Amino acid sequence: MLLGHENAWREWRTALGGDRMHHAWLLAGRRGVGKGSFALAAARELVGASPSDDSEHHPDIITLTYGPKDDKEERKRADGKPFELARSIRIAQIRAMQARLSTRPTMGDKRAIIIDPSDDLERNAANALLKSLEEPPAGTYFLLVAHSPARLLPTIRSRCRVLRFPTVTDGEMDRLLRELSPNADDATRAAAIAAAAGSPGAAVQFVDMELGKVSQGMRDILERGDPDFQLRGTLAGLIGARPDRERIRAVLELARSVVAERLDRVSDPRPVIDAHSELVRLAGEQPTYNFDAGLLAMEIGTLLANAAKASERANV
């Protein structure tokens, strides 16, 4: 059982053993707390799959997530080649799922639909899904994974029972990283824990991406400023010339965390708050924007340098 899932399992299993199981569940919490793993395990319990069967595929579990970006990437997938993912879950995927709902479940009387992440549904896809939530076929249950539930249509949220997945303590995170990433040094673990803000999956990802040096590069700018732009150039090199979407997301989360640490150490917090707000904006745009890696690194560095000026005034 993943950290912090005890209450969620208790609620789910109580409902599963009751007379009237709710047909739609919203699994809400920070990215990386294990909501997707819970959804799959819960779906397997729902359809009666054997716990000893670790197969990822079951005919009565339908999982919708990011598909290929376009027809070219779809052909790559069909050929077994690496392919680029779309940035949203599209209406065609919802329509294909709905077509399957016109038939009965294959191996029993229940079927599970997992949408992960549901907060990245296209608007038309969300509207189409709403129709299925309003009139669910008998025996069909929906598990909607959401990192940012507020991005879902209110009408979708209102039709779901919410399961909340809490963040975990720094101590629990440290124990987990020592177990899963024994080669990580103390500084790397500390940076990962701070940046992940209670998300075990994010912390492990930060370590795996070797973001410890990126974290130090950000802190160097915050401590020293960067009047000659050299530190920003160093930071760009640490981030990499062609970071993928997950690395960009992790870097933005790390920058937000590093800046937030400064709030208690400055006499005038406004530049720090402004920098943090801009990083929040960039993180919100990240799922749908194609960022130029070099320009993004320089923008992050400039925001850090601006926040550093607040620290300089506090030390005068």
Side-chain angles (χ1 to χ4, degrees):
M1 184 178 294
L2 292 174
L3 293 175
H5 287 194
E6 295 82 4
N7 288 339
W9 276 118
R10 190 177 302 112
E11 287 190 47
W12 173 260
R13 286 169 175 158
T14 298
L16 193 60
D19 294 331
R20 298 186 65 181
M21 175 84 163
H22 197 74
H23 72 282
W25 295 73
L26 179 61
L27 281 53
R30 278 185 58 84
R31 185 187 302 270
V33 295
K35 303 183 299 298
S37 297
F38 178 94
L40 183 57
R44 294 183 66 77
E45 283 196 0
L46 177 78
V47 302
S50 171
S52 61
D53 180 6
D54 61 359
S55 171
E56 294 184 3
H57 303 288
H58 188 283
D60 294 325
I61 299 176
I62 301 171
T63 300
L64 303 185
T65 188
Y66 305 113
K69 183 178 72 171
D70 51 30
D71 291 344
K72 177 182 177 182
E73 300 303 315
E74 176 63 54
R75 289 193 292 272
K76 290 181 182 178
R77 180 170 72 169
D79 293 338
K81 300 176 181 178
F83 60 93
E84 186 175 349
L85 295 175
R87 294 179 178 271
S88 60
I89 297 173
R90 296 171 172 170
I91 189 170
Q93 295 171 268
I94 299 296
R95 295 296 190 209
M97 175 270 290
Q98 290 170 328
R100 292 184 62 179
L101 298 188
S102 63
T103 63
R104 294 179 57 82
T106 303
M107 299 182 67
D109 59 356
K110 294 184 177 67
R111 173 189 283 131
I113 312 297
I114 299 171
I115 303 181
D116 183 9
S118 59
D119 38 338
D120 273 350
L121 283 162
E122 289 182 341
R123 183 79 179 189
N124 288 341
N127 285 326
L129 173 65
L130 181 59
K131 295 180 180 179
S132 293
L133 296 180
E134 290 173 338
E135 300 178 3
T140 297
Y141 298 86
F142 295 86
L143 294 98
L144 277 57
V145 175
H147 312 311
S148 302
R151 293 174 56 194
L152 284 168
L153 293 176
T155 44
I156 287 180
R157 296 199 305 268
S158 69
R159 284 163 173 77
C160 296
R161 177 171 172 178
V162 179
L163 283 182
R164 300 194 182 280
F165 290 76
T167 56
V168 303
T169 66
D170 288 355
E172 291 174 317
M173 297 265 279
D174 186 66
R175 287 191 292 274
L176 180 68
L177 288 179
R178 288 178 184 275
E179 177 183 344
L180 298 180
S181 304
N183 295 326
D185 57 31
D186 291 345
T188 299
R189 284 199 309 276
I193 291 170
S199 167
V204 171
Q205 185 181 52
F206 289 147
V207 171
D208 290 344
M209 289 182 178
E210 300 180 345
L211 292 179
K213 291 182 179 179
V214 175
S215 174
Q216 187 57 55
M218 292 177 178
R219 286 182 165 82
D220 286 344
I221 297 175
L222 275 173
E223 292 290 340
R224 297 155 52 187
D226 188 28
D228 57 6
F229 285 78
Q230 289 188 4
L231 294 179
R232 270 168 269 200
T234 299
L235 179 63
L238 292 170
I239 292 173
R242 300 187 65 183
D244 60 20
R245 182 170 61 181
E246 286 303 302
R247 186 170 180 83
I248 289 174
R249 182 188 61 77
V251 165
L252 287 168
E253 290 286 344
L254 181 59
R256 288 169 57 186
S257 172
V258 168
V259 169
E261 293 173 0
R262 310 295 291 185
L263 280 173
D264 295 332
R265 300 168 58 184
V266 297
S267 58
D268 179 5
R270 286 174 296 180
V272 178
I273 293 172
D274 289 344
H276 188 269
S277 296
E278 280 300 297
L279 289 166
V280 170
R281 179 185 64 79
L282 289 171
E285 293 175 350
Q286 182 268 328
T288 55
Y289 278 46
N290 287 315
F291 288 114
D292 177 277
L295 293 177
L296 178 63
M298 294 302 289
E299 184 166 3
I300 292 172
T302 298
L303 292 172
L304 295 170
N306 290 340
K309 295 175 183 177
S311 299
E312 292 170 3
R313 284 194 292 272
N315 293 328
V316 171

